[in-house]
Amino acid sequence: MNGQVYFLTNGGNETYDDVRMTSLEEAKNLAISGRLDGVVSEVNGIFRNPSVVRKIKESNLSTSILPF
């Protein structure tokens, strides 16, 4: 079975002890190091830091946005 695996982050909308949950850049780094397919972020995290989407794409990862 082949499926895609993404790291889910809120992109900094809430504060967590785990920096990967509060930073799109750290979520990207984890996805790269873990050989994941991409990053899923809550939409407001993308609005706060839209340039990171380009960095994620340049890293050959895909990005999905959750509109909640």
Side-chain angles (χ1 to χ4, degrees), residues 6-61:
Y6 290 79
F7 182 75
L8 177 63
T9 180
N10 77 6
N13 295 313
E14 295 179 36
T15 302
Y16 293 94
D17 291 334
D18 187 341
V19 69
R20 300 168 300 181
M21 289 295 298
T22 58
S23 165
L24 285 170
E25 188 70 31
E26 289 300 320
K28 175 189 71 92
N29 293 338
L30 175 81
I32 291 169
S33 68
R35 300 179 66 183
L36 304 179
D37 295 300
V39 174
V40 176
S41 177
E42 200 276 332
V43 69
N44 288 322
I46 299 293
F47 288 151
R48 284 192 189 97
N49 193 359
S51 65
V52 102
V53 174
R54 181 179 27 83
K55 293 177 184 177
I56 290 170
K57 296 286 187 187
E58 289 171 353
S59 300
N60 293 319
L61 298 170

